[in-house]
């Protein structure tokens, strides 16, 4: 059963960022340069981790938990929707932050990945997201 949300932008946010993440993941699967494939996989999977973490329509929690999270973090659904909208208005700024996380940790990411397929960055991409975070610009 799909959980309903009071957010006006949650579904649009999901579709928008899922498409952005999938673009990077597809590039990682179809590229010829291993380093570039690892980078693109990392960006795509971090965006997915971020999306699933902050989009209340995806995280599978009960409506009461949604309501409490929204109140605790954003104050209201209106503020949450503004935050979601802002993230969709500034994708380059958000992707730039993820690229910076990759650049600062490329050596460790490559070491952790070893000889595995680049898609295996999904095994540890969330760790880098939670350690570094992503800020959504106001403007």
């Amino acid at each position: 059963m799909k959980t309903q949300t009071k957010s006006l932008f949650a579904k649009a946010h999901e579709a928008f960022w899922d498409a952005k993440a999938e673009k990077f993941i597809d590039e990682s699967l179809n590229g010829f340069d291993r380093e570039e494939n690892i980078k693109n996989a990392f960006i795509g999977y971090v965006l997915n981790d971020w999306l699933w973490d902050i989009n209340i329509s995806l995280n599978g929690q009960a409506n009461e938990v949604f309501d409490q999270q929204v109140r605790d973090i954003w104050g209201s659904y209106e503020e949450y929707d503004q935050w979601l909208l802002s993230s969709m208005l500034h994708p380059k700024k958000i992707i730039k932050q993820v690229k910076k996380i990759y650049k600062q940790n490329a050596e460790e990411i490559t070491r952790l990945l070893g000889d595995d397929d680049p898609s295996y960055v999904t095994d540890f991409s969330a760790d880098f997201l939670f350690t570094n975070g992503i800020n959504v610009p106001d403007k």
Side-chain angles (χ1 to χ4, degrees):
M1 180 176 146
K2 273 271 204 203
T3 305
Q4 294 296 314
T5 176
K6 296 176 188 173
S7 171
L8 299 174
F9 295 117
K11 295 296 181 190
H13 181 266
E14 174 187 356
F16 180 87
W17 283 105
D18 186 56
K20 296 280 185 198
E22 286 304 314
K23 177 183 165 266
F24 284 100
I25 293 168
D26 288 347
E27 287 176 10
S28 77
L29 298 174
N30 298 314
F32 295 104
D33 180 288
R34 180 164 169 77
E35 285 182 32
E36 192 67 19
N37 291 346
I38 294 169
K39 176 183 159 189
N40 285 329
F42 180 82
I43 293 167
Y45 288 116
V46 166
L47 289 174
N48 270 341
D49 293 333
W50 176 71
L51 173 64
W52 280 80
D53 188 46
I54 56 92
N55 191 310
I56 61 171
S57 72
L58 297 174
N59 63 20
Q61 296 180 18
N63 284 333
E64 308 80 51
V65 176
F66 288 171
D67 291 341
Q68 189 61 49
Q69 282 182 328
V70 167
R71 281 193 300 275
D72 290 348
I73 298 169
W74 292 278
S76 68
Y77 274 95
E78 292 78 17
E79 291 296 318
Y80 175 64
D81 279 341
Q82 286 301 312
W83 187 85
L84 293 175
L85 181 59
S86 183
S87 81
M88 292 185 286
L89 293 173
H90 303 287
K92 289 181 181 177
K93 291 179 180 179
I94 291 171
I95 292 168
K96 183 178 179 180
Q97 291 178 61
V98 180
K99 287 179 177 179
K100 183 177 178 183
I101 294 169
Y102 175 80
K103 186 177 180 181
Q104 291 174 336
N105 298 282
E107 190 174 300
E108 183 177 1
I109 292 165
T110 302
R111 182 186 60 74
L112 288 169
L113 187 60
D115 293 331
D116 288 334
D117 183 89
S119 65
Y120 282 92
V121 299
T122 192
D123 291 346
F124 52 81
S125 58
D127 297 335
F128 286 93
L129 169 62
F130 297 135
T131 301
N132 294 279
I134 293 175
N135 295 313
V136 174
D138 290 335
K139 297 176 182 154

